[in-house]
Amino acid sequence: MRIDRLAARDLGEFWSLREDVMVLPGPSMVLRTPWGELRLERPGRLLREALHRMQLGPVSLGNVVPGFPGYDVPEGEWNDASRELLDALDSLQHLIVRHLSLGASPLLSVVPLSPDARFCLPSVAPGAECRLSSDVVLRGTGHDPVLAYEGADHRVELHGPEASRLLLHLRGAYSDFQSPFDGSLSEEVVRAARSYTAAAGMLAIDDAKGGARL
């Protein structure tokens, strides 16, 4: 039996650096990026630790800062250490890949594609009507589709056996939620995936007045 089938199928949020970003340690850390070198003068301990871990692959920042908030936790509820780290990471959004997992299985990744990329999470109310933007093109085949469009600052990668089911939710073609024991995606998971996809500029969310916003 695979180990990911033994893990609880809880929603997880992870952070990593783009694979082509290199962190050079020192009193002033240097990040080698596709868009040139970025120098961080006297970075704090939390930022150093986070970047070191994120260079190695997706990591829960709760392992760096206890009580690190999830995507849907209001800023007013962040602890001081979380606020310090998130403020320090804010200017590095174009280098950071954001991931969702279901248990031990990767589910979705948002990859920045330009130095102007900003990952701004919207609030998605339960039951909100969502649909993919008309510009979005589906690429890839099988279990790993990719959402993208010409000139986009991000792409959204869907992973694993849940990808096709999740894609239906993102397209607005499937809205029923069943028991997590029957293999369906929970409302919590779909809501997080919709927020991440909207943050990447791929998803339109209809507000209570029927208007669409990205």
Side-chain angles (χ1 to χ4, degrees):
M1 177 179 290
R2 287 168 39 188
I3 190 170
D4 63 343
R5 297 188 181 277
L6 297 175
R9 288 168 60 84
D10 293 332
L11 176 67
E13 296 184 70
F14 298 88
W15 301 54
S16 70
L17 294 175
R18 282 176 48 119
E19 292 182 353
D20 52 6
V21 173
M22 180 180 296
V23 180
L24 304 180
S28 297
M29 296 181 75
V30 174
L31 306 183
R32 287 183 178 169
T33 84
W35 306 287
E37 289 190 349
L38 178 63
R39 182 176 297 274
L40 305 178
E41 299 292 346
R42 298 183 179 179
R45 179 186 62 81
L46 294 178
L47 180 58
R48 285 181 178 276
E49 179 67 15
L51 291 177
H52 171 71
R53 291 175 180 244
M54 290 162 60
Q55 183 178 219
L56 302 177
V59 60
S60 168
L61 291 185
N63 293 328
V64 178
V65 175
F68 189 82
Y71 79 97
D72 56 350
V73 175
E75 184 174 351
E77 298 179 16
W78 298 352
N79 60 38
D80 290 342
S82 296
R83 191 183 309 278
E84 176 189 336
L85 180 55
L86 285 165
D87 286 347
L89 291 172
D90 185 67
S91 63
L92 306 179
Q93 290 189 35
H94 60 298
L95 307 177
I96 296 172
V97 184
R98 300 288 295 270
H99 310 266
L100 292 174
S101 70
L102 193 55
S105 300
L107 182 67
L108 178 150
S109 299
V110 178
V111 182
L113 301 177
S114 86
D116 298 320
R118 300 286 295 174
F119 188 82
C120 299
L121 283 159
S123 175
V124 180
E129 295 291 333
C130 302
R131 64 184 184 278
L132 290 178
S133 170
S134 59
D135 295 331
V136 172
V137 175
L138 177 64
R139 300 173 182 167
T141 58
H143 295 307
D144 293 301
V146 176
L147 305 176
Y149 62 84
E150 188 68 28
D153 289 331
H154 298 87
R155 68 172 181 265
V156 177
E157 301 173 353
L158 307 183
H159 309 294
E162 305 288 0
S164 59
R165 183 181 291 112
L166 180 58
L167 183 59
L168 289 175
H169 282 287
L170 296 178
R171 282 176 161 170
Y174 187 63
S175 59
D176 293 333
F177 299 98
Q178 302 174 24
S179 165
F181 300 105
D182 64 11
S184 298
L185 294 173
S186 70
E187 183 172 359
E188 176 194 22
V189 169
V190 173
R191 186 178 177 190
R194 285 173 169 172
S195 290
Y196 271 53
T197 306
M202 302 284 172
L203 197 69
I205 304 170
D206 288 345
D207 61 25
K209 297 179 181 179
R213 57 187 175 87
L214 288 177

